[in-house]
Amino acid sequence: MSKIGVMLCGHGSRSQAAVDEFAVLAQKLPALLPEDWMVDYGYLEFANPVIRVGLDNLREAGCERILAVPGMLFAAMHAKNDIPSVLNAYGAEHGIQVDYGRDLGVDARMISAASDRIREAVDKANAELGDVSAHETCLVVIGRGASDPDANANVSKVARMLWEGMGFGWCEVGYSGVTFPLVEPALEQAAKLGFKRYVVFPYFLFTGILIDRIYGFADMVAAANPQAQWVKAGYLSDHPQVLATFAERVTEILDGKSDMNCGLCKYRTQILGFEDEVGRPQESHHHHVEGQGASAPGSNVEDCTLCNDFCTGACRLEVKHDHHDHDHGHSHGHDHGHDHGHSHDHGDGHHHHPVYPHADHPMGPESVRKHLKDPE
């Protein structure tokens, strides 16, 4: 049998803490896989090592087949386009088989990990602030946010599973960027419901600028609404159930079960509001920021001319043409996946992103305009 290598493909971040936490995941994953499989990792952009370095390590160690998985919760642009573009190019260049798996997705183990993080926060709040029943508590789940409505919908499905499974009185969903409602307007809407306690849960794998944003806005809304308890739950991190899900995403590739959920993928189905994106080329657009490192310009809010205590995402307002899954100048975390049968004619060599159809939504990126140091 061919010697197998496993490649964990992360997005990368300008936050060194996020990069370090992802590396820990890669270090813990081998314990859940066959002992003769070699595991390595790399990042799509910003951080080092980049994906091709990890692939080089596996190939030079004698691996003849590589099982690669996106280190991401859901499949949007990064997991569906950018990472497979890098992997396909590498496989063709070096004549090595690189098979690509699917995102973590909506999975019972991921729901279990999320519920543990929420329970930990609730138990601590009960001990420090006094008991509040689940029926008097509103859960607010914050997802990454992408220009892919299917990925955004999966955040809502996870939220509903948590809400119904744990019996909270109500649940609201928000996103850290790109789409709507963003964190602050989602929390402000929730505050109007009059619950005794609000649990703010970031459905994220790792720390980073976006976690700082979520907690920062939570503190702001809490200060404006002191009549309720505001509890900040922890993100998923290296929870054992998260690691188990990653391990299955690797091993299931050998059984041919690596298809992402593409029933409502905007690249192959005419989704309401995104009809023009069917059949877009599968190509990476991150070469300009590949391997810059977590110390790249924009990594520290102290350097930002727009924000004060944390990154609000106000920089998106300056780049009107850039409506894909980035918070321009800082950190982010979207995705894209396997070959959708798109054309691979890249034309003039430039990657053009369609305008997100609701970029001007008042509860989306425009909602942070009031936080600009010099608002227009």
Side-chain angles (χ1 to χ4, degrees):
M1 295 181 62
S2 300
K3 182 176 180 180
I4 290 179
V6 175
M7 182 66 200
L8 192 59
C9 304
H11 177 271
S13 173
R14 284 184 165 120
S15 164
Q16 187 59 49
V19 173
D20 293 342
E21 288 185 6
F22 187 87
V24 169
L25 173 66
Q27 293 164 6
K28 292 186 176 182
L29 187 59
L32 285 74
L33 299 171
E35 61 181 16
D36 59 335
W37 288 12
M38 181 177 176
V39 177
D40 215 313
Y41 69 98
Y43 303 101
L44 180 65
E45 64 178 355
F46 299 132
N48 288 299
V50 297
I51 291 175
R52 67 172 181 272
V53 170
L55 293 171
D56 282 342
N57 293 339
L58 295 173
R59 180 174 55 84
E60 291 168 3
C63 295
E64 301 167 280
R65 183 181 184 185
I66 296 175
L67 309 179
V69 292
M72 299 170 183
L73 289 167
F74 299 122
M77 186 177 295
H78 279 337
K80 293 177 181 175
N81 271 341
D82 301 316
I83 292 175
S85 177
V86 172
L87 297 177
N88 290 340
Y90 188 92
E93 178 184 354
H94 296 283
I96 188 171
Q97 182 177 352
V98 182
D99 297 311
Y100 188 48
R102 61 190 175 108
D103 55 300
L104 292 169
V106 181
D107 186 284
R109 286 162 301 195
M110 298 299 296
I111 303 297
S112 176
S115 68
D116 282 350
R117 295 296 184 237
I118 294 168
R119 284 194 183 94
E120 290 166 3
V122 168
D123 289 346
K124 181 179 180 182
N126 284 340
E128 296 178 353
L129 303 174
D131 289 351
V132 174
S133 71
H135 292 175
E136 297 174 298
T137 301
C138 176
L139 175 67
V140 184
V141 177
I142 305 296
R144 166 62 191 95
S147 59
D148 189 317
D150 197 21
N152 294 333
N154 279 334
V155 177
S156 292
K157 184 169 185 177
V158 166
R160 177 67 198 189
M161 299 287 282
L162 291 167
W163 177 13
E164 191 163 341
M166 303 183 77
F168 289 111
W170 196 255
C171 181
E172 293 288 330
V173 178
Y175 302 88
S176 68
V178 185
T179 189
F180 62 90
L182 291 192
V183 181
E184 185 180 25
L187 294 176
E188 289 175 338
Q189 288 293 108
K192 297 176 182 178
L193 299 175
F195 281 87
K196 289 186 177 180
R197 174 182 288 169
Y198 294 88
V199 178
V200 182
F201 170 56
Y203 193 69
F204 278 65
L205 283 174
F206 309 111
T207 189
I209 291 170
L210 299 183
I211 294 294
D212 293 342
R213 178 181 303 172
I214 294 166
Y215 291 158
F217 277 127
D219 288 340
M220 289 177 60
V221 175
N225 296 274
Q227 71 279 4
Q229 294 180 14
W230 292 84
V231 178
K232 294 178 287 189
Y235 48 91
L236 295 168
S237 190
D238 57 346
H239 189 286
Q241 295 284 38
V242 173
L243 287 164
T245 310
F246 266 122
E248 183 177 76
R249 292 296 172 267
V250 174
T251 57
E252 69 185 6
I253 297 174
L254 298 178
D255 299 323
K257 299 178 181 178
S258 59
D259 286 349
M260 294 184 185
N261 180 9
C262 289
L264 292 175
C265 176
K266 67 176 182 176
Y267 299 104
R268 64 189 305 173
T269 304
Q270 287 197 335
I271 300 300
L272 179 66
F274 298 81
E275 293 85 353
D276 293 339
E277 298 190 46
V278 174
R280 291 191 60 81
Q282 186 178 49
E283 55 186 337
S284 178
H285 62 284
H286 290 264
H287 307 299
H288 63 294
V289 288
E290 186 180 55
Q292 280 190 344
S295 60
S299 60
N300 300 308
V301 71
E302 292 83 1
D303 301 328
C304 181
T305 60
L306 302 175
C307 304
N308 292 305
D309 299 326
F310 62 92
C311 173
T312 65
C315 45
R316 289 189 55 79
L317 301 175
E318 291 191 323
V319 192
K320 291 294 185 181
H321 66 278
D322 187 7
H323 294 302
H324 58 297
D325 299 1
H326 287 266
D327 280 310
H328 193 80
H330 292 296
S331 174
H332 40 275
H334 45 238
D335 351 336
H336 203 337
H338 46 284
D339 187 351
H340 287 55
H342 305 165
S343 166
H344 287 261
D345 179 5
H346 296 179
D348 60 6
H350 296 286
H351 190 95
H352 301 288
H353 291 278
V355 173
Y356 180 60
H358 303 296
D360 60 347
H361 194 286
M363 296 182 77
E366 287 293 323
S367 68
V368 303
R369 188 172 293 281
K370 62 185 177 182
H371 298 292
L372 292 173
K373 290 180 178 178
D374 296 306
E376 295 177 4

